[in-house]
């Protein structure tokens, strides 16, 4: 009977993620995905990209300004950090509709560097922030070129939730004073909470500014799930109210003021030598957060648009966009989980949407720099607060708590680290915990003694199957992890312990090595010592189900010669049969009693 090729698994997969052609992997096409998309551009996409770009621009302006202020730099630089990165990513980015720009998840990290070092000088603040963008860009490009696109996968979901919830709290606390219409010098999230309470009790709240900001926040949340652009309505409404009633003068409502006219220019951000260490650490933290967010969002939209996205090229695209921001008076940027859906909903087909959005923002700066002069700071704070609340993850943490509580408390520990010590030390703390978690799983892995349980095929952990019988004189020892320097001594100790605790004198030890995915030099030396120790005691060390790549390593390490080819068996059953052939013991397998069961 003929089969339908369209229904085969391979063809279905190719529909979802079309493989790159040879041309896609070489020359300019490899490093400039935008050129490849341009050559494949269909005329009927143009109207969709233009409309989507104009719709996107209405969100890019208020969000860019809001995140700039939240990051400790003047609002205009948020627009600079929007225009140039969008153009750079359109050329170097592999995702068709991903939108990059200033992001609330980075605001706390940037502010943590800028605020204490700038001394209130806006030019020094943007120089520091731009330098961070350059560091982040270099790190991302370097990681992409050496194919480190997998690095963010080393951070487990609970750890990511922990530091992002901590960053969300940090951002929220930094914006609450602006929402209330007063300001103070930040000293960290927990101490800021005390300062906010003192400000409220001390009567520093500007109630007019607060009502405007609270109204904007309520509008954003009320219209969040509708097709109406709630953020645009909130910002435009707040600006109109302040302008019509002259509240900046009559009620002391803080406003954005006129934006400088003109486009961003190339500028090298010079910083003091004493600031280099802090800027480097901040840039590294930004690179980690931005790529973690971008990789997740990029993969999600790649699946939805049925296009292939190379994670290493995504790193390069993100890095180039950050470099562009750093050298054109911007600050670190990331992908946006709020603006990308807007572009998609508006009908975006390609990165031309981002180009149109960037040009529209540039036109605003040139032609109408005074349009937003009455935009209240409390409304900008409302925009950032709404976004920060979107970073908070609670539901999935509840699920994790129910499934595995130690991972939940690990997340809480990361959250406390960011909330207590601030964004940058807290993220470093989260990374250290991630490394410890990774090493702990490999350092103290599970191991088992295997036996034969009646009525069940194969050999199983006797701690799980107490009725399982042990073959006299044979220890079947399973090691559920790679063998490497951190756990090699423990492996040796557990094997010797299994021999000592055997109810019968041991003749063979068979390591059932199917879970062992790697062996390093240290572990190989321990295996050599273990084999000699067991041989001197009259015990043979053998392996079953060892993977070929691991076996190749043992050959390179010279262990094949020491152990002998006959010590390696393709299956546990083959090893057991070899043992029973060479050692007549009192053993009848249940399958031999019931041949039909096999």
């Amino acid at each position: 009977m003929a089969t339908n090729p369209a229904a085969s698994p391979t063809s279905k997969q190719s529909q979802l993620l079309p493989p790159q052609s040879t041309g896609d992997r070489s020359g300019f096409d490899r490093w400039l995905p935008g050129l490849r998309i341009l050559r494949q551009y269909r005329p009927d996409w143009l109207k969709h990209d233009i409309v989507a770009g104009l719709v996107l621009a209405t969100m890019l302006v208020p969000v860019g300004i809001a995140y700039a202020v939240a990051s400790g730099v003047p609002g205009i630089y948020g627009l600079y950090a929007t225009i140039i990165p969008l153009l750079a990513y359109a050329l170097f980015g592999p995702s068709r509709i991903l939108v990059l720009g200033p992001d609330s998840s980075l605001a706390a990290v940037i502010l943590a560097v800028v605020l204490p070092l700038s001394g209130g000088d806006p030019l020094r603040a943007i120089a520091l922030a731009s330098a961070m963008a350059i560091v982040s860009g270099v790190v991302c490009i370097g990681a992409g070129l050496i194919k480190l696109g997998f690095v963010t996968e080393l951070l487990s979901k609970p750890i990511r939730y922990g530091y992002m919830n901590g960053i969300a709290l940090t951002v929220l606390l930094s914006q609450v004073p602006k929402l209330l219409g007063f300001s103070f010098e930040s000293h960290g999230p927990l101490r800021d909470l005390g300062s906010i309470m003192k400000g409220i009790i001390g009567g520093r709240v500007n109630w007019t500014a607060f009502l405007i900001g609270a109204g904007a926040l309520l509008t954003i949340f009320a219209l969040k799930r509708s097709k109406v652009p709630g953020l645009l309505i909130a910002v435009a409404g707040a600006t109109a109210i302040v302008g019509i009633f002259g509240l900046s003068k009559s009620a002391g409502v803080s406003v954005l003021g006129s934006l400088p006219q003109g486009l961003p220019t190339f500028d090298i951000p010079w910083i003091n030598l004493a600031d280099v260490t802090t800027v480097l650490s901040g840039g590294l933290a930004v690179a980690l957060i931005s790529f973690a967010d971008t990789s997740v969002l990029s993969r999600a939209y790649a699946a939805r648009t049925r296009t292939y996205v190379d994670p290493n090229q995504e790193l390069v695209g993100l890095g180039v966009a950050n470099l562009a921001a750093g050298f054109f008076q911007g600050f670190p940027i990331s992908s946006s989980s709020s603006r990308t859906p807007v572009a998609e909903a508006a009908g975006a087909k390609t990165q031309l949407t981002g180009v149109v959005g960037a040009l529209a923002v540039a036109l605003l700066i040139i032609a109408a720099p005074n349009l937003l002069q009455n935009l209240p700071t409390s409304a900008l704070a409302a925009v950032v607060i709404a976004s920060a609340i979107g970073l908070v993850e609670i539901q999935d943490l509840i699920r994790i708590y129910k499934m595995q509580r130690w991972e939940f408390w690990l997340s809480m520990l990361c959250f406390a680290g960011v909330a207590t010590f601030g964004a940058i030390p807290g993220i470093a703390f989260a990374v250290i915990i991630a490394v410890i978690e990774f090493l702990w799983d490999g350092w103290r892995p599970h191991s088992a003694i295997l036996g034969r349980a009646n009525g069940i095929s194969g050999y199983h952990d006797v701690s799980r199957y107490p009725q399982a019988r042990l073959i006299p004189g044979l220890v079947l020892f399973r090691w559920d992890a790679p063998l490497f320097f951190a756990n090699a001594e423990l492996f040796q100790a557990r094997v010797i312990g299994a021999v000592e605790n055997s109810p019968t004198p041991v003749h063979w030890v068979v390591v059932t090595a199917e879970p062992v995915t790697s062996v390093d030099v240290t572990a190989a030396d321990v295996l050599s010592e273990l084999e000699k120790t067991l041989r001197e005691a009259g015990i043979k060390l053998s392996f079953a189900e060892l993977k070929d790549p691991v076996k190749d390593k043992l050959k390179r390490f010279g262990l094949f010669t020491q152990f002998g080819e006959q010590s390696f068996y393709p299956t546990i059953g083959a090893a057991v049969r070899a043992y029973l052939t060479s050692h007549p013991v009192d053993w009848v397998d249940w399958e031999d009693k019931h041949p039909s069961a096999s």
Side-chain angles (χ1 to χ4, degrees), residues 212-285:
I212 292 171
L217 187 60
L218 290 174
T219 301
I220 293 170
F221 280 122
L223 301 176
K224 186 175 183 179
R225 299 191 181 279
S226 70
K227 293 184 178 180
V228 180
L231 189 148
L232 179 62
I233 291 174
V235 171
T239 304
I241 290 171
V242 171
I244 292 170
F245 295 102
L247 297 179
S248 62
K249 294 181 179 178
S250 62
V253 175
S254 176
V255 296
L256 178 66
S258 297
L259 297 174
Q261 191 172 27
L263 298 175
T265 57
F266 180 84
D267 186 41
I268 298 175
W270 298 105
I271 61 174
N272 296 333
L273 190 61
D275 301 334
V276 170
T277 301
T278 305
V279 168
L280 283 174
S281 62
L284 286 170

Side-chain angles (χ1 to χ4, degrees), residues 157-158 161 165 225 389-404 408 411-412:
K157 185 179 284 187
Y161 287 161
N165 284 347
R225 299 191 181 279
I389 291 173
L391 295 175
V392 176
E393 180 56 60
I394 295 177
Q395 269 192 326
D396 211 28
L397 276 176
I398 294 173
R399 181 180 68 90
I400 291 170
Y401 178 80
K402 292 177 180 177
M403 292 192 306
Q404 188 145 266
F408 170 82
S411 183
M412 292 296 99

